[in-house]
PDB file of all heavy atoms in Angstrom:
ATOM      1  N   ALA A   1     115.180  92.602  90.732  1.00 91.00           N
ATOM      2  CA  ALA A   1     113.674  93.005  90.767  1.00 91.00           C
ATOM      3  C   ALA A   1     113.369  93.410  92.222  1.00 91.00           C
ATOM      4  O   ALA A   1     112.477  94.204  92.299  1.00 91.00           O
ATOM      5  CB  ALA A   1     112.959  91.725  90.230  1.00 91.00           C
ATOM      6  N   GLY A   2     113.991  92.837  93.228  1.00 92.00           N
ATOM      7  CA  GLY A   2     113.666  93.216  94.665  1.00 92.00           C
ATOM      8  C   GLY A   2     114.069  94.606  94.734  1.00 92.00           C
ATOM      9  O   GLY A   2     113.347  95.327  95.555  1.00 92.00           O
ATOM     10  N   ALA A   3     115.100  95.103  94.237  1.00 92.00           N
ATOM     11  CA  ALA A   3     115.532  96.482  94.457  1.00 92.00           C
ATOM     12  C   ALA A   3     114.550  97.448  93.671  1.00 92.00           C
ATOM     13  O   ALA A   3     114.249  98.551  94.347  1.00 92.00           O
ATOM     14  CB  ALA A   3     117.039  96.743  93.848  1.00 92.00           C
ATOM     15  N   VAL A   4     114.135  97.132  92.552  1.00 93.00           N
ATOM     16  CA  VAL A   4     113.102  97.916  91.863  1.00 93.00           C
ATOM     17  C   VAL A   4     111.799  98.059  92.628  1.00 93.00           C
ATOM     18  O   VAL A   4     111.276  99.076  92.856  1.00 93.00           O
ATOM     19  CB  VAL A   4     112.853  97.364  90.439  1.00 93.00           C
ATOM     20  CG1 VAL A   4     111.742  98.382  89.783  1.00 93.00           C
ATOM     21  CG2 VAL A   4     114.112  97.382  89.726  1.00 93.00           C
ATOM     22  N   ARG A   5     111.438  96.804  93.227  1.00 94.00           N
ATOM     23  CA  ARG A   5     110.146  96.832  94.028  1.00 94.00           C
ATOM     24  C   ARG A   5     110.277  97.758  95.234  1.00 94.00           C
ATOM     25  O   ARG A   5     109.401  98.378  95.601  1.00 94.00           O
ATOM     26  CB  ARG A   5     109.838  95.394  94.430  1.00 94.00           C
ATOM     27  CG  ARG A   5     109.204  94.612  93.318  1.00 94.00           C
ATOM     28  CD  ARG A   5     108.596  93.306  93.810  1.00 94.00           C
ATOM     29  NE  ARG A   5     109.553  92.351  94.294  1.00 94.00           N
ATOM     30  CZ  ARG A   5     110.185  91.442  93.457  1.00 94.00           C
ATOM     31  NH1 ARG A   5     109.772  91.325  92.284  1.00 94.00           N
ATOM     32  NH2 ARG A   5     111.128  90.584  93.989  1.00 94.00           N
ATOM     33  N   LEU A   6     111.451  97.525  95.865  1.00 95.00           N
ATOM     34  CA  LEU A   6     111.688  98.382  97.040  1.00 95.00           C
ATOM     35  C   LEU A   6     111.678  99.854  96.701  1.00 95.00           C
ATOM     36  O   LEU A   6     111.028 100.593  97.471  1.00 95.00           O
ATOM     37  CB  LEU A   6     112.989  97.874  97.757  1.00 95.00           C
ATOM     38  CG  LEU A   6     113.493  98.730  98.999  1.00 95.00           C
ATOM     39  CD1 LEU A   6     112.381  98.534 100.063  1.00 95.00           C
ATOM     40  CD2 LEU A   6     114.911  98.259  99.471  1.00 95.00           C
ATOM     41  N   ALA A   7     112.428 100.186  95.698  1.00 94.00           N
ATOM     42  CA  ALA A   7     112.299 101.555  95.305  1.00 94.00           C
ATOM     43  C   ALA A   7     110.979 102.102  94.940  1.00 94.00           C
ATOM     44  O   ALA A   7     110.677 103.157  95.379  1.00 94.00           O
ATOM     45  CB  ALA A   7     113.217 101.820  94.051  1.00 94.00           C
ATOM     46  N   GLY A   8     110.053 101.200  94.283  1.00 94.00           N
ATOM     47  CA  GLY A   8     108.777 101.705  93.950  1.00 94.00           C
ATOM     48  C   GLY A   8     107.906 101.708  95.197  1.00 94.00           C
ATOM     49  O   GLY A   8     107.186 102.764  95.281  1.00 94.00           O
ATOM     50  N   ILE A   9     108.051 100.851  96.120  1.00 95.00           N
ATOM     51  CA  ILE A   9     107.209 100.957  97.291  1.00 95.00           C
ATOM     52  C   ILE A   9     107.726 102.249  98.242  1.00 95.00           C
ATOM     53  O   ILE A   9     106.780 102.875  98.712  1.00 95.00           O
ATOM     54  CB  ILE A   9     107.353  99.606  98.122  1.00 95.00           C
ATOM     55  CG1 ILE A   9     106.603  98.532  97.400  1.00 95.00           C
ATOM     56  CG2 ILE A   9     106.596  99.802  99.522  1.00 95.00           C
ATOM     57  CD1 ILE A   9     106.975  97.182  97.963  1.00 95.00           C
ATOM     58  N   ALA A  10     108.918 102.350  98.317  1.00 95.00           N
ATOM     59  CA  ALA A  10     109.516 103.549  99.069  1.00 95.00           C
ATOM     60  C   ALA A  10     109.046 104.824  98.460  1.00 95.00           C
ATOM     61  O   ALA A  10     108.693 105.612  99.031  1.00 95.00           O
ATOM     62  CB  ALA A  10     111.023 103.418  99.109  1.00 95.00           C
ATOM     63  N   GLY A  11     109.047 104.819  97.063  1.00 94.00           N
ATOM     64  CA  GLY A  11     108.625 106.067  96.375  1.00 94.00           C
ATOM     65  C   GLY A  11     107.047 106.349  96.694  1.00 94.00           C
ATOM     66  O   GLY A  11     106.738 107.463  96.771  1.00 94.00           O
ATOM     67  N   LEU A  12     106.348 105.221  96.721  1.00 95.00           N
ATOM     68  CA  LEU A  12     104.881 105.402  96.931  1.00 95.00           C
ATOM     69  C   LEU A  12     104.706 105.939  98.242  1.00 95.00           C
ATOM     70  O   LEU A  12     103.913 106.860  98.442  1.00 95.00           O
ATOM     71  CB  LEU A  12     104.252 104.046  96.739  1.00 95.00           C
ATOM     72  CG  LEU A  12     102.610 103.904  96.769  1.00 95.00           C
ATOM     73  CD1 LEU A  12     102.078 102.791  95.916  1.00 95.00           C
ATOM     74  CD2 LEU A  12     102.236 103.844  98.207  1.00 95.00           C
ATOM     75  N   ILE A  13     105.247 105.270  99.274  1.00 95.00           N
ATOM     76  CA  ILE A  13     105.061 105.698 100.654  1.00 95.00           C
ATOM     77  C   ILE A  13     105.631 107.064 101.028  1.00 95.00           C
ATOM     78  O   ILE A  13     104.983 107.894 101.551  1.00 95.00           O
ATOM     79  CB  ILE A  13     105.562 104.649 101.628  1.00 95.00           C
ATOM     80  CG1 ILE A  13     104.920 103.306 101.533  1.00 95.00           C
ATOM     81  CG2 ILE A  13     105.446 105.152 103.147  1.00 95.00           C
ATOM     82  CD1 ILE A  13     105.536 102.141 102.278  1.00 95.00           C
ATOM     83  N   ALA A  14     106.830 107.290 100.565  1.00 94.00           N
ATOM     84  CA  ALA A  14     107.397 108.582 100.877  1.00 94.00           C
ATOM     85  C   ALA A  14     106.815 109.774 100.131  1.00 94.00           C
ATOM     86  O   ALA A  14     106.481 110.743 100.731  1.00 94.00           O
ATOM     87  CB  ALA A  14     108.928 108.555 100.515  1.00 94.00           C
ATOM     88  N   GLY A  15     106.431 109.461  98.861  1.00 94.00           N
ATOM     89  CA  GLY A  15     105.718 110.506  98.138  1.00 94.00           C
ATOM     90  C   GLY A  15     104.352 110.823  98.666  1.00 94.00           C
ATOM     91  O   GLY A  15     103.971 111.902  98.803  1.00 94.00           O
ATOM     92  N   SER A  16     103.631 109.714  99.047  1.00 94.00           N
ATOM     93  CA  SER A  16     102.243 110.015  99.556  1.00 94.00           C
ATOM     94  C   SER A  16     102.292 110.713 100.908  1.00 94.00           C
ATOM     95  O   SER A  16     101.559 111.721 101.075  1.00 94.00           O
ATOM     96  CB  SER A  16     101.618 108.648  99.909  1.00 94.00           C
ATOM     97  OG  SER A  16     101.356 107.903  98.716  1.00 94.00           O
ATOM     98  N   PHE A  17     103.240 110.381 101.809  1.00 95.00           N
ATOM     99  CA  PHE A  17     103.412 111.197 102.989  1.00 95.00           C
ATOM    100  C   PHE A  17     103.799 112.556 102.771  1.00 95.00           C
ATOM    101  O   PHE A  17     103.461 113.564 103.440  1.00 95.00           O
ATOM    102  CB  PHE A  17     104.360 110.379 103.990  1.00 95.00           C
ATOM    103  CG  PHE A  17     103.744 109.353 104.818  1.00 95.00           C
ATOM    104  CD1 PHE A  17     103.848 108.083 104.503  1.00 95.00           C
ATOM    105  CD2 PHE A  17     102.773 109.743 105.953  1.00 95.00           C
ATOM    106  CE1 PHE A  17     103.366 107.036 105.212  1.00 95.00           C
ATOM    107  CE2 PHE A  17     102.186 108.796 106.594  1.00 95.00           C
ATOM    108  CZ  PHE A  17     102.368 107.404 106.442  1.00 95.00           C
ATOM    109  N   SER A  18     104.713 112.711 101.817  1.00 93.00           N
ATOM    110  CA  SER A  18     105.304 114.122 101.570  1.00 93.00           C
ATOM    111  C   SER A  18     104.176 115.003 101.031  1.00 93.00           C
ATOM    112  O   SER A  18     104.026 116.114 101.512  1.00 93.00           O
ATOM    113  CB  SER A  18     106.517 113.979 100.570  1.00 93.00           C
ATOM    114  OG  SER A  18     106.896 115.174 100.060  1.00 93.00           O
ATOM    115  N   MET A  19     103.280 114.426 100.148  1.00 93.00           N
ATOM    116  CA  MET A  19     102.267 115.226  99.542  1.00 93.00           C
ATOM    117  C   MET A  19     101.275 115.563 100.604  1.00 93.00           C
ATOM    118  O   MET A  19     100.756 116.690 100.635  1.00 93.00           O
ATOM    119  CB  MET A  19     101.692 114.394  98.405  1.00 93.00           C
ATOM    120  CG  MET A  19     102.406 114.297  97.146  1.00 93.00           C
ATOM    121  SD  MET A  19     102.425 115.857  96.267  1.00 93.00           S
ATOM    122  CE  MET A  19     100.763 116.016  95.718  1.00 93.00           C
ATOM    123  N   ALA A  20     100.961 114.600 101.352  1.00 93.00           N
ATOM    124  CA  ALA A  20     100.037 114.804 102.499  1.00 93.00           C
ATOM    125  C   ALA A  20     100.512 115.831 103.465  1.00 93.00           C
ATOM    126  O   ALA A  20      99.719 116.872 103.867  1.00 93.00           O
ATOM    127  CB  ALA A  20      99.697 113.450 103.251  1.00 93.00           C
ATOM    128  N   ALA A  21     101.686 115.790 103.821  1.00 94.00           N
ATOM    129  CA  ALA A  21     102.411 116.713 104.905  1.00 94.00           C
ATOM    130  C   ALA A  21     102.433 118.131 104.170  1.00 94.00           C
ATOM    131  O   ALA A  21     101.983 119.165 104.799  1.00 94.00           O
ATOM    132  CB  ALA A  21     103.775 116.307 105.312  1.00 94.00           C
ATOM    133  N   GLY A  22     102.769 118.135 102.933  1.00 91.00           N
ATOM    134  CA  GLY A  22     102.840 119.515 102.276  1.00 91.00           C
ATOM    135  C   GLY A  22     101.528 120.154 102.160  1.00 91.00           C
ATOM    136  O   GLY A  22     101.338 121.335 102.496  1.00 91.00           O
ATOM    137  N   GLU A  23     100.473 119.340 101.819  1.00 91.00           N
ATOM    138  CA  GLU A  23      99.148 119.938 101.764  1.00 91.00           C
ATOM    139  C   GLU A  23      98.484 120.319 102.942  1.00 91.00           C
ATOM    140  O   GLU A  23      97.928 121.259 103.123  1.00 91.00           O
ATOM    141  CB  GLU A  23      98.134 118.791 100.996  1.00 91.00           C
ATOM    142  CG  GLU A  23      96.839 119.300 100.701  1.00 91.00           C
ATOM    143  CD  GLU A  23      96.929 120.140  99.419  1.00 91.00           C
ATOM    144  OE1 GLU A  23      97.889 120.237  98.719  1.00 91.00           O
ATOM    145  OE2 GLU A  23      95.956 121.004  99.213  1.00 91.00           O
ATOM    146  N   TYR A  24      98.793 119.421 104.076  1.00 92.00           N
ATOM    147  CA  TYR A  24      98.261 119.950 105.368  1.00 92.00           C
ATOM    148  C   TYR A  24      98.866 121.278 105.855  1.00 92.00           C
ATOM    149  O   TYR A  24      98.166 122.022 106.406  1.00 92.00           O
ATOM    150  CB  TYR A  24      98.621 118.876 106.434  1.00 92.00           C
ATOM    151  CG  TYR A  24      98.225 119.121 107.784  1.00 92.00           C
ATOM    152  CD1 TYR A  24      96.858 118.746 108.143  1.00 92.00           C
ATOM    153  CD2 TYR A  24      99.063 119.691 108.747  1.00 92.00           C
ATOM    154  CE1 TYR A  24      96.436 119.169 109.481  1.00 92.00           C
ATOM    155  CE2 TYR A  24      98.670 120.001 110.011  1.00 92.00           C
ATOM    156  CZ  TYR A  24      97.244 119.704 110.318  1.00 92.00           C
ATOM    157  OH  TYR A  24      96.838 120.110 111.632  1.00 92.00           O
ATOM    158  N   ILE A  25     100.232 121.298 105.725  1.00 93.00           N
ATOM    159  CA  ILE A  25     100.906 122.499 106.288  1.00 93.00           C
ATOM    160  C   ILE A  25     100.396 123.735 105.309  1.00 93.00           C
ATOM    161  O   ILE A  25     100.188 124.736 105.960  1.00 93.00           O
ATOM    162  CB  ILE A  25     102.347 122.318 106.088  1.00 93.00           C
ATOM    163  CG1 ILE A  25     102.985 121.376 107.129  1.00 93.00           C
ATOM    164  CG2 ILE A  25     103.195 123.787 106.341  1.00 93.00           C
ATOM    165  CD1 ILE A  25     104.399 121.031 106.830  1.00 93.00           C
ATOM    166  N   SER A  26     100.235 123.487 104.050  1.00 89.00           N
ATOM    167  CA  SER A  26      99.729 124.662 103.190  1.00 89.00           C
ATOM    168  C   SER A  26      98.451 125.022 103.649  1.00 89.00           C
ATOM    169  O   SER A  26      98.110 126.286 103.693  1.00 89.00           O
ATOM    170  CB  SER A  26      99.803 124.188 101.849  1.00 89.00           C
ATOM    171  OG  SER A  26      99.321 125.228 100.896  1.00 89.00           O
ATOM    172  N   MET A  27      97.472 124.113 103.768  1.00 87.00           N
ATOM    173  CA  MET A  27      96.045 124.407 103.997  1.00 87.00           C
ATOM    174  C   MET A  27      95.950 125.009 105.441  1.00 87.00           C
ATOM    175  O   MET A  27      95.121 125.855 105.758  1.00 87.00           O
ATOM    176  CB  MET A  27      95.285 123.225 103.885  1.00 87.00           C
ATOM    177  CG  MET A  27      95.047 122.801 102.401  1.00 87.00           C
ATOM    178  SD  MET A  27      93.863 124.000 101.585  1.00 87.00           S
ATOM    179  CE  MET A  27      92.341 123.806 102.457  1.00 87.00           C
ATOM    180  N   ARG A  28      96.757 124.443 106.393  1.00 89.00           N
ATOM    181  CA  ARG A  28      96.714 124.849 107.803  1.00 89.00           C
ATOM    182  C   ARG A  28      97.110 126.347 107.857  1.00 89.00           C
ATOM    183  O   ARG A  28      96.477 127.147 108.559  1.00 89.00           O
ATOM    184  CB  ARG A  28      97.642 124.028 108.637  1.00 89.00           C
ATOM    185  CG  ARG A  28      97.340 124.233 110.173  1.00 89.00           C
ATOM    186  CD  ARG A  28      96.017 123.863 110.586  1.00 89.00           C
ATOM    187  NE  ARG A  28      95.832 124.140 112.040  1.00 89.00           N
ATOM    188  CZ  ARG A  28      94.643 124.048 112.596  1.00 89.00           C
ATOM    189  NH1 ARG A  28      93.621 123.490 111.900  1.00 89.00           N
ATOM    190  NH2 ARG A  28      94.448 124.356 113.788  1.00 89.00           N
ATOM    191  N   ALA A  29      98.258 126.707 107.188  1.00 89.00           N
ATOM    192  CA  ALA A  29      98.741 128.021 107.273  1.00 89.00           C
ATOM    193  C   ALA A  29      97.718 128.937 106.619  1.00 89.00           C
ATOM    194  O   ALA A  29      97.524 130.008 107.127  1.00 89.00           O
ATOM    195  CB  ALA A  29     100.142 128.109 106.543  1.00 89.00           C
ATOM    196  N   GLN A  30      97.234 128.481 105.409  1.00 84.00           N
ATOM    197  CA  GLN A  30      96.065 129.336 104.725  1.00 84.00           C
ATOM    198  C   GLN A  30      94.933 129.603 105.729  1.00 84.00           C
ATOM    199  O   GLN A  30      94.401 130.694 105.822  1.00 84.00           O
ATOM    200  CB  GLN A  30      95.758 128.669 103.490  1.00 84.00           C
ATOM    201  CG  GLN A  30      94.586 129.419 102.787  1.00 84.00           C
ATOM    202  CD  GLN A  30      94.176 128.679 101.515  1.00 84.00           C
ATOM    203  OE1 GLN A  30      95.060 128.460 100.610  1.00 84.00           O
ATOM    204  NE2 GLN A  30      92.923 128.459 101.459  1.00 84.00           N
TER     205      GLN A  30
END
């Protein structure tokens, strides 16, 4: 269960930062 929790938390954090970075770069370039 600890491994699943860790994966879920990592997915949340990594995905959120990835989405934010991608949106920022896209909007900034535009």
Side-chain angles (χ1 to χ4, degrees):
V4 178
R5 280 193 293 271
L6 178 60
I9 293 171
L12 185 155
I13 296 173
S16 297
F17 275 107
S18 176
M19 286 290 291
E23 190 69 21
Y24 178 84
I25 292 171
S26 175
M27 285 293 294
R28 191 65 184 176
Q30 177 180 307

